[in-house]
């Protein structure tokens, strides 16, 4: 399927409207390693040394247009973060070419989820009844349910279908090649199932604030992000308690160089538009666990670089 068909021709044009944020200027920017000056660079360099790992990060302020980043164009694995993009693709398909898709019951056999039972807390409970794509999106985003993510991919043509969706949104970088659990297998230099902090942030901005999705679908997606239960110790932990956060995490585990990430849309009190924070990490040594505190500290550094703290 062509990119134009996936997004209905010009459906992804970013034009400001009521309740929407124009993302055209943001998406067109090249995020440099340290556009905010040396302070962000210094902070994250020191954090990398203490963590013995690599950090990739981008912050976009949709109120001021300011964008900051560090290792913004280096590749990192998606891990479970792909689920928010898969849900967006399913929402778009339901809206544009498959009416009623979100409410159609999808059924499966217990053997189909054997590899993912331990990472599928909600779909495991619905094996006898099946679930709708809407329920699968909720489970995939709020609980990072692995089988929910794979089942959503099947609705859009598998990993290749999600890659096509990325291209349709104007993202030439992000790619998905495998389903769970193999998509979490990563080592330095691996390009499969990866994105960059800049690409993830820019596409996420379009999906949550632009016109890529219908307004109702956009609101539904953001609602699931706000209800996420997996990111309490990551971006959320690095920001003030009175800020509103919607996020999607991803974790590859110690056997995959301790990869971990988080992608969030954040509203600060009194602001007219949100900020987008994109944080990716991996350890230099394999068989080393991820560190949520590094992601939280990076979120703090990004918010400061944007002038929000």
């Amino acid at each position: 399927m062509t990119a134009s068909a996936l997004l209905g021709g010009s459906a992804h044009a970013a034009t400001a409207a009521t309740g929407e944020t124009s993302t055209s200027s943001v998406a067109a920017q090249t995020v440099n390693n340290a556009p905010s000056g040396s302070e962000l660079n210094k902070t994250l360099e020191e954090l990398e040394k203490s963590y013995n790992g690599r950090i990739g990060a981008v912050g976009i302020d949709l109120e001021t247009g300011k964008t900051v980043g560090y290792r913004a164009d280096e590749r990192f694995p998606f891990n479970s973060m792909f689920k928010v993009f898969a849900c967006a693709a399913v929402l778009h398909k339901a809206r544009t070419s498959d009416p009623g898709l979100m409410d159609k019951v999808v059924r499966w056999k217990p053997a189909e989820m054997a590899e993912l039972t331990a990472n599928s807390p909600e779909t495991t409970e619905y094996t006898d009844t099946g679930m709708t794509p809407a329920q699968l999106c909720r489970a995939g985003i709020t609980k990072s349910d692995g089988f929910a993510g794979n089942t959503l991919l099947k609705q859009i043509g598998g990993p290749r279908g999600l890659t096509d969706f990325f291209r349709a949104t104007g993202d030439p970088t992000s790619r998905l090649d495998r389903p769970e659990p193999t998509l979490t297998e990563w080592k330095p230099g691996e390009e499969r199932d990866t994105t960059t902090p800049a690409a993830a942030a820019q596409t996420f901005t379009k999906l949550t604030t632009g016109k890529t999705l219908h307004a109702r679908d956009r609101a539904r997606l953001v609602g699931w992000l706000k209800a996420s239960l997996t990111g309490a110790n990551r971006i959320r932990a690095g920001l003030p308690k009175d800020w509103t956060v919607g996020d999607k995490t991803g974790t590859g585990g110690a056997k995959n160089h301790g990869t971990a990430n988080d992608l969030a849309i954040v509203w600060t009190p009194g602001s007219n538009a949100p900020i987008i924070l994109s944080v990716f990490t991996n350890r230099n040594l394999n068989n080393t666990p991820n560190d949520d505190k590094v992601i939280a500290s990076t979120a703090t550094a990004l918010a400061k670089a944007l002038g929000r703290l």
Side-chain angles (χ1 to χ4, degrees), residues 22-41:
S22 176
T23 61
S24 55
S25 59
V26 171
Q29 292 181 26
T30 297
V31 184
N32 298 316
N33 274 349
S36 65
S38 62
E39 192 59 36
L40 178 63
N41 232 23

Side-chain angles (χ1 to χ4, degrees), residues 95-292:
R95 178 68 59 180
T96 60
S97 63
D98 194 350
L101 173 61
M102 297 304 292
D103 298 316
K104 294 178 181 178
V105 176
V106 180
R107 299 182 183 278
W108 60 86
K109 298 178 181 178
E112 295 179 58
M113 62 186 311
E115 288 186 297
L116 292 167
T117 301
N119 189 39
S120 304
E122 189 155 346
T123 49
T124 301
E125 298 180 3
Y126 284 82
T127 302
D128 293 336
T129 61
M131 298 173 73
T132 65
Q135 292 174 314
L136 291 165
C137 279
R138 184 196 66 224
I141 294 177
T142 66
K143 297 181 180 180
S144 206
D145 189 292
F147 189 71
N150 280 0
T151 306
L152 289 167
L153 285 177
K154 291 181 179 179
Q155 309 305 308
I156 55 172
R160 179 69 240 180
L162 184 54
T163 300
D164 288 342
F165 182 72
F166 285 129
R167 302 297 175 267
T169 67
D171 179 345
T173 303
S174 303
R175 55 182 285 183
L176 203 72
D177 300 84
R178 298 167 293 179
E180 291 223 55
T182 53
L183 67 82
T184 61
E185 296 174 1
W186 181 87
K187 59 183 179 181
E190 175 68 74
E191 292 194 358
R192 290 179 299 174
D193 309 299
T194 62
T195 185
T196 66
Q202 290 162 357
T203 301
F204 186 69
T205 299
K206 293 178 182 180
L207 296 175
T208 56
T209 70
K211 295 185 70 177
T212 298
L213 297 181
H214 186 281
R216 292 179 182 176
D217 299 329
R218 187 170 64 246
R220 201 173 194 183
L221 185 69
V222 170
W224 288 321
L225 289 163
K226 288 181 178 179
S228 174
L229 302 172
T230 63
N233 297 322
R234 296 190 182 180
I235 286 176
R236 294 171 188 256
L239 304 176
K241 298 297 183 183
D242 62 343
W243 291 17
T244 300
V245 181
D247 75 308
K248 181 68 195 83
T249 59
T251 307
K255 294 182 179 180
N256 297 296
H257 285 265
T259 59
N261 47 40
D262 201 7
L263 182 61
I265 180 170
V266 181
W267 292 265
T268 63
S271 64
N272 294 317
I275 61 175
I276 302 296
L277 301 180
S278 171
V279 182
F280 291 77
T281 64
N282 68 265
R283 306 303 288 258
N284 291 331
L285 298 177
N286 201 14
N287 298 312
T288 310
N290 63 282
D291 189 340
D292 288 348

Side-chain angles (χ1 to χ4, degrees), residues 77-97:
F78 266 116
N79 295 320
S80 287
M81 185 189 286
F82 85 90
K83 293 164 189 169
V84 66
F85 298 103
C87 284
V90 173
L91 283 166
H92 187 271
K93 179 181 178 181
R95 178 68 59 180
T96 60
S97 63

